Structure formats: C-alpha cells, structure tokens
Amino acid sequence: MCESAVYLVKGSDRTLVMPEAARIIVHDRGVTCVDTLGDRKEVPGARVSEANLVRHEILLIVGKG
C-alpha cells in the first residue's frame, strides 16, 4: 500500500496524527489527513515540513517557519 504515517513535530517530540494516511490536503486553515476508509483528521494551523516517501512519513509543524 501507499499510506504514510503523519506526525506532528514540536521540537524533538513527535505525536502520531494518523498511522496510515492515504491523502494529505493542505489548505489555508492547516492540513487535513484522510485514510483509505475516508476518516479525516484536521490539524489546524499546520503545514508540511517534510514528506519522506521512502520511510512513508509525513511531518507536520504548527507555527511560523
């Protein structure tokens, strides 16, 4: 499968947002993660910091940067 784990990064801490996201939607309010069943998780104010496709990881951060 092509899903990726999505993490919210704060300093050196990572919090799992969604273990198997199939889709990432970036919008002006933040980021929406969607899995293969259509379940959604909103992360207000977030932006994509890194997408590591080899490791199947998407890293999000909140705030300026």
Side-chain angles (χ1 to χ4, degrees), residues 20-32:
E20 295 181 345
R23 186 173 181 205
I24 302 295
I25 304 164
V26 179
H27 44 78
D28 59 347
R29 298 173 313 280
V31 174
T32 302

